[in-house]
Amino acid sequence: MNKKVKITIILEVMIAILMLIPITSNAALQANGKSTKTDSVPGWLLNIRRMEATGGTLGLTDTINTTDLTSSAETSNNLDIHMQLNTEYGAMAILSASAYGNQDKITDGQTTTGNKSGVYIYLNSEWVAAGETTLGVGLFQNANGKYKNLYSDTNKEKKGDATMETNGWHNSSSRWYWNNRNYGYYGMIRGISTSVFGFYNGGDGNVQSNIAYFDKSHYSRAVIVVGEGI
């Protein structure tokens, strides 16, 4: 693909956590304005990608490979929808605290801009597609690299992911738990406690450690990237 064209139009749209699967058979994942849907990391990874498939919310006719989440279509539909990466959540959080966003501390139910044009933030814990490099569970382990952020003991944060570099911002209190133990069965949760910058990953040896286990159900968001030849 022409590199110039590839970087011409990149649009990321953060679809609110507000995902719902109606109680009907063969229902499509859709945004409906209410925070009623939770799922595990493997569940979100696949179901959000399926929004792009035949019968999905976006009205497209793609086919999603259930092994690595890539598209099986011969021709690109110029759109990619996926579970939010930690770096994508981080970009949203950092912009919220910038001159372009709501610079005051965001409380539950407020937006990143302070008005309806922003992304609604609910401080009730939400999954991002992130995990430790050595293990992982099922679909997360096999997913194509563009659909997940991988971390290790020596790579504790990525630029722009709003974890360690923003620790303490807006009263966030977080610790990094992927070091000193193998946390390959744990993911990362954002929007915890009282701050958009809060996060929790791995386990710290106490009762809270299980909240970040890959199979636990939490909210998440979908991200759409639009560009020719994606």
Side-chain angles (χ1 to χ4, degrees), residues 187-209:
M188 178 173 284
I189 295 173
R190 303 304 303 262
I192 64 167
S193 188
T194 59
S195 175
V196 67
F197 292 99
F199 69 90
Y200 189 92
N201 68 298
D204 60 354
N206 63 34
V207 69
Q208 295 185 37
S209 63

Side-chain angles (χ1 to χ4, degrees), residues 14 17 83-84 89 92 120-128 188-192 218-221:
M14 302 299 289
I17 328 172
M83 179 182 176
Q84 65 178 344
Y89 179 97
M92 175 187 70
Y120 281 85
I121 300 297
Y122 297 95
L123 301 174
N124 55 0
S125 302
E126 60 183 87
W127 280 124
V128 290
M188 178 173 284
I189 295 173
R190 303 304 303 262
I192 64 167
H218 297 290
Y219 298 105
S220 190
R221 301 175 191 263

